[in-house]
Structure formats: C-alpha cells, structure tokens
Amino acid sequence: MLVGRVCRLCAAGRSCFAAASLRPFFSSSIMAKSKFEYVRSFETDDTCLRNCYIVVRLDGRNFHKFAEQHQFAKPNDDRALGLMSRSARSVMEDLEDIIISYGQSDEFSFVFKKTSTWFKRRASKLMTHVASQFSSSYVFYWKEFFGEQPLLYPPGFDGRVVLYPSNRNLRDYLSWRQADCHINNLYNTVFWTLVQKGGLTTTQAEDRLKGTLASDKNEILFSEFDINYNNESALHRKGTALIWEKRDETVSKRMKLPNEEERDVPVTRSRRKVEAYHCDIIGDQFWEEHPDILEDDNC
C-alpha cells in the first residue's frame, strides 16, 4: 500500500525520498492490528498477587558436573562462591526493588519488596530477567575470580517464583535456606575431610556418615582431625546475605568559590551500596540491626 503510493508520487515527478518519509510509521501501525493478533489471548496472566514479597530463586543446573569439569575445590571453592555473590550483586544493582538476596552453594534467592511494580509484577518477566542477568554476569565476571582458567561451556540456572505475604513467612523462608546451608556444609566438610585427610574412598566416607546426626559429625571432625566446625569460615557455614546500605562517600569536585580561584573541594554524599554479610539471619539480631529491610505487614 505504501509502495504503491510512493510509486505514484514518483511518477508525478516528486522525490521518492520525500514520499517515503511522509508517513514513516504507517506500515508498522497497520501490522500491529493484523488479523493474527488474536493469538495474544492464549497468554497466561501471571501477575503476582499484590502486598506479597516476590522471591525469585535460582539454582545451578547440573552444577555437580559443572564443578567437576571446572575443578572446583572441595568442599568449598571460594572463587566459585565469590563469583556467585558478584553475579547476585549485579542483579541487585540492576533491579533496585530487590531488598535482600541470600545465597549458598549454587543457589541464590532474590526478594522483591511487597510494593514493587517492576515488569507489572509479572512472574515470568521477573524470573527470566533475574535468571538472564545472573547467568550473563556469571560468564562476564568469570575471569575476575578464575583468572586464566577457561570457562569450558556456558552455565545454566533454573528459576522459580514464590510469594510470601508476611514478614514471618519471608523470614522463615530465608531461615530454611540458611538451615539448608548449615546441614549441607557440615556434611560436605566431614565427608571431604574423611576422604582428603582420613584416606577413605568416597564410598567408604558415605557409609561412615550414614545415620549420623550433627553432633556425630562435629565429634568426628574434632576427635579425629582436631577441627572445630564453629571455627570454619562463616561464608561456608552461614552463606551470603546481600542488602542495601547507605555509605558516605567523599570525592573531590572542582569548584570556584566566591572571591577565590577554582580549586578541588571535598564533597561528601550518601550513596546506596550492596553490602555482603556472612552471619546468622535466623535469629532476631540481624533484622533488628537492619530494620529497613522488611516492610510493614499492614501495607
């Protein structure tokens, strides 16, 4: 339709360029109202319920194999844990409605505030954006943590969205993830100590730990290897919580003051930055020290 009009105008002796630029968006607006638009009715409404915290949790896909092929240190590789936290920080800096994120091993949970309207609260949009930003950041910052060790193939992360209506629900969720961190890390610490220092095979170590309680595992570490589990790195035992905090930052700014020559003047300003904590988030102390994380349950 537009082409025919252009040709007629050209035939009349006018400029083809001028004719084509008369209505540059005419064609696309017609296409947007095509007969095929009905297919949009098949889309599912996945808007998240209002007044609920939106949690997006990512888990590494087949990371046992990924860790083996990239020779991660056992039971914990600080490079890999650092890269996970750096990737999570990148997500928070991109989506500022995330009030806290918590990660351990190959997983990270991101909590959007109750009043967030990012992506119109569509679960699919939130999940895919977090997953893609995290995955691309993992690849982008790989060399920062692993140096010249090559990334053999792209990592994958699957995600899910869960809603929590109250502060108690959200805290219980984060407590669950930190308890999981403790359980898994204690087991892995004892398991790999039996293998690396005790000379057992992986099968023998697994048999040795069958049916043991946390107290039994602590006793094995202390009595046989003189290791006090409570002295192990808090990063490994507690995981990583990332939150926003205000920090005063002083910079030099070139200014011209009245009746003076131009010179550098120190200027202090407050900025929000993502800070990492490796501490207990199950008890009340962390939340009392950071009361601005949670919103009013009556909002």
Side-chain angles (χ1 to χ4, degrees):
M1 185 174 180
L2 182 59
V3 174
R5 181 173 180 176
V6 171
C7 291
R8 288 196 296 274
L9 288 170
C10 289
R14 298 186 184 182
S15 166
C16 287
F17 176 78
S21 61
L22 289 175
R23 299 180 69 183
F25 301 108
F26 178 75
S27 177
S28 62
S29 64
I30 291 296
M31 289 179 65
K33 298 294 183 182
S34 74
K35 67 179 182 180
F36 306 110
E37 191 178 4
Y38 79 93
V39 297
R40 293 182 60 187
S41 64
F42 288 88
E43 293 183 13
T44 302
D45 180 13
D46 60 351
T47 304
C48 293
L49 191 65
R50 292 179 60 186
N51 297 332
C52 290
Y53 292 107
I54 304 171
V55 175
V56 178
R57 187 166 102 229
L58 301 184
D59 290 277
R61 181 179 177 275
N62 202 6
F63 248 58
H64 178 75
K65 174 184 174 184
F66 185 87
E68 287 287 344
Q69 296 200 355
H70 289 88
Q71 301 176 338
F72 284 8
K74 295 178 175 62
N76 293 289
D77 191 310
D78 287 341
R79 301 169 303 168
L81 293 173
L83 179 54
M84 289 287 290
S85 294
R86 182 63 187 88
S87 302
R89 187 188 302 267
S90 175
V91 173
M92 289 186 68
E93 290 169 347
D94 189 54
L95 299 171
E96 295 186 3
D97 271 5
I98 296 173
I99 53 175
I100 183 173
S101 61
Y102 174 78
Q104 49 109 354
S105 186
D106 65 341
E107 73 167 58
F108 242 99
S109 296
F110 301 89
V111 182
F112 287 82
K113 64 184 182 181
K114 284 184 176 183
T115 53
S116 177
T117 57
W118 277 88
F119 304 113
K120 298 181 180 179
R121 294 179 71 86
R122 290 187 60 186
S124 56
K125 290 278 189 178
L126 291 165
M127 183 178 66
T128 53
H129 190 95
V130 169
S132 62
Q133 180 74 21
F134 190 93
S135 300
S136 60
S137 297
Y138 195 96
V139 174
F140 185 82
Y141 293 110
W142 174 269
K143 279 195 172 183
E144 186 177 313
F145 293 88
F146 285 86
E148 294 305 311
Q149 180 177 333
L151 180 62
L152 302 178
Y153 59 89
F157 296 88
D158 63 67
R160 73 199 71 186
V161 174
V162 187
L163 306 182
Y164 293 102
S166 71
N167 291 343
R168 183 73 267 164
N169 294 151
L170 178 64
R171 283 189 55 181
D172 285 348
Y173 168 78
L174 293 170
S175 297
W176 172 48
R177 300 320 307 144
Q178 187 166 68
D180 187 73
C181 172
H182 164 69
I183 293 168
N184 289 337
N185 188 68
L186 177 58
Y187 180 91
N188 289 333
T189 299
V190 182
F191 180 89
W192 288 108
T193 300
L194 288 170
V195 172
Q196 295 167 353
K197 296 183 178 180
L200 300 186
T201 65
T202 54
T203 302
Q204 290 170 333
E206 187 176 346
D207 289 338
R208 173 78 187 278
L209 293 177
K210 280 182 180 177
T212 57
L213 303 175
S215 57
D216 301 321
K217 295 180 180 69
N218 276 293
E219 182 61 26
I220 292 173
L221 287 174
F222 189 75
S223 62
E224 298 184 26
F225 302 98
D226 197 26
I227 295 174
N228 185 336
Y229 180 73
N230 291 326
N231 294 335
E232 294 294 292
S233 168
L235 166 63
H236 304 157
R237 292 184 294 111
K238 302 294 186 182
T240 300
L242 300 177
I243 62 173
W244 289 100
E245 288 195 328
K246 287 185 178 180
R247 290 284 186 265
D248 288 337
E249 187 178 83
T250 302
V251 295
S252 293
K253 189 174 182 180
R254 197 93 179 149
M255 298 178 65
K256 181 173 174 55
L257 302 176
N259 303 320
E260 292 186 27
E261 293 183 359
E262 191 176 83
R263 61 188 178 88
D264 289 331
V265 177
V267 177
T268 301
R269 52 192 174 189
S270 183
R271 287 180 178 271
R272 287 209 322 156
K273 286 191 173 183
V274 178
E275 300 290 343
Y277 285 84
H278 313 295
C279 63
D280 176 69
I281 60 173
I282 296 176
D284 293 332
Q285 183 177 345
F286 173 80
W287 303 100
E288 290 170 353
E289 292 175 353
H290 306 283
D292 53 331
I293 296 176
L294 299 177
E295 295 178 82
D296 186 351
D297 264 340
N298 298 318
C299 70

